[in-house]
Amino acid sequence: MPNPPLPVRPHRRSGTNGFTLIELLVVIGIIVVLMGILIPVASHVRQTAYATSTQSQLLVIQQGIEAYRQVFEAYPGPLADGQLLPTMNPANLGGLATGSENLVLGLAGGLQLKAGNITYNSALVGQGPFSLNPLKSQRSQAFVDLAAAGLDTVKSSSAWVNWKDPAHANVANQGSYSDTPIPEFVDRFPDALPILYIRARLGATGTVTDGSTSYPAKLIPAYDMRQLYPYSFPKLPKGKPTATPPKPFALYAAEYFGTLADTSVPKQKDGYLLISAGLDRKYGTLDDITSAGKVK
């Protein structure tokens, strides 16, 4: 009986098994293409998440502002507009206060009367605002949760770090001015920037002013643009606050601040603005995340 045929052995490739150079280059090329697609998508998703979180943060602050107004019948901020940058400030604040710092003082506290003078005490931030009336000294509870509102957490020892300090040097749009150690609410982006807060000038509606010239701007009350000088608004006039602004400012003010107004809300009830620098991290551009006062 003949022996059965031997099984055919598969032909072995010479050398070790592995990818050829062409196969390896094809795989690498596919990976590079996929990374080129996925990385921008992931970055956009992250940026959108930061913007959405900032919008929620502005809502928290706005609710605190409205709660404050229900109690005090005014928009928050114990310092009058004339006491904010760029004008002279009350003593014992450690520098020039901004509207953003004034908002924290109003909603979270930090000022007290001491020997008849207004003084800042960092230990009081978060305990609620004190009445600065010497005949009626009382303290209200804080009107916002500090974490939800985005209080800046950069500290040196127990005091908040000024925005002119090197700790904030890697953040764009930070002007050089004699800042106070009062903290600000900052947005939710990794390179956090202050949430700007500016109140309307009572009794003056329909204009935007830089202190020397007023410009018509439809549907908005008057705001003193000098309070925004510490921050880099790309189309705001350069130089000292008293400098005469260039002509394009009128068009810019109407374009930018006009977009923040709600035509369904009476002008006299649109009394403040909250501004985040938005995705491009520049104040004063149309992608800014904003909220205008809508107290009913």
Side-chain angles (χ1 to χ4, degrees):
M1 182 175 181
N3 294 327
L6 296 174
V8 179
R9 295 181 179 180
H11 176 72
R12 292 184 177 180
R13 295 171 61 178
S14 59
T16 59
N17 293 331
F19 291 107
T20 65
L21 178 60
I22 294 177
E23 292 171 334
L24 185 60
L25 291 176
V26 169
V27 172
I28 292 175
I30 293 173
I31 293 174
V32 170
V33 170
L34 290 175
M35 290 180 64
I37 295 173
L38 294 177
I39 289 177
V41 171
S43 177
H44 177 72
V45 170
R46 284 196 300 269
Q47 292 294 96
T48 301
Y50 298 144
T52 301
S53 181
T54 297
Q55 288 174 333
S56 299
Q57 175 191 359
L58 292 188
L59 179 59
V60 170
I61 296 174
Q62 181 175 324
Q63 290 172 340
I65 290 173
E66 294 179 354
Y68 181 101
R69 191 175 189 276
Q70 293 298 317
V71 174
F72 294 101
E73 299 183 352
Y75 293 110
L79 302 178
D81 286 354
Q83 296 174 309
L84 299 175
L85 185 131
T87 54
M88 295 301 293
N89 285 258
N92 304 317
L93 294 185
L96 298 177
T98 64
S100 299
E101 294 165 339
N102 201 25
L103 177 63
V104 171
L105 295 175
L107 296 183
L111 292 186
Q112 62 183 0
L113 275 177
K114 190 173 183 179
N117 295 318
I118 298 175
T119 61
Y120 169 67
N121 184 344
S122 62
L124 299 178
V125 176
Q127 296 188 21
F130 273 95
S131 169
L132 299 180
N133 183 348
L135 302 179
K136 189 179 180 181
S137 180
Q138 63 181 28
R139 184 176 66 193
S140 301
Q141 64 179 6
F143 289 90
V144 292
D145 177 84
L146 298 186
L151 190 74
D152 183 19
T153 58
V154 179
K155 289 185 177 182
S156 175
S157 184
S158 61
W160 279 271
V161 172
N162 301 41
W163 273 84
K164 67 176 182 177
D165 190 277
H168 293 109
N170 62 333
V171 179
N173 298 329
Q174 174 54 37
S176 57
Y177 62 100
S178 180
D179 188 28
T180 73
I182 302 168
E184 295 94 341
F185 296 123
V186 297
D187 61 25
R188 299 298 191 190
F189 290 83
D191 55 341
L193 288 170
I195 300 294
L196 305 190
Y197 170 70
I198 180 171
R199 296 179 297 202
R201 294 191 303 121
L202 296 179
T205 58
T207 61
V208 174
T209 180
D210 65 342
S212 59
T213 308
S214 296
Y215 303 96
K218 297 179 179 178
L219 304 174
I220 64 173
Y223 294 96
D224 189 342
M225 297 298 100
R226 293 177 298 172
Q227 294 185 20
L228 299 176
Y229 271 100
Y231 310 97
S232 297
F233 272 70
K235 296 182 182 180
L236 282 181
K238 305 297 182 181
K240 296 181 179 179
T242 56
T244 302
K247 292 182 180 179
F249 176 72
L251 298 177
Y252 168 68
E255 175 190 25
Y256 177 75
F257 289 95
T259 64
L260 305 187
D262 185 343
T263 57
S264 65
V265 178
K267 286 182 293 185
Q268 66 270 21
K269 292 189 176 182
D270 185 0
Y272 65 87
L273 298 175
L274 295 172
I275 305 173
S276 162
L279 294 172
D280 65 2
R281 314 312 291 139
K282 295 179 181 178
Y283 295 108
T285 54
L286 295 181
D287 79 327
D288 286 1
I289 303 168
T290 62
S291 178
K294 297 179 178 65
V295 178
K296 296 181 180 179

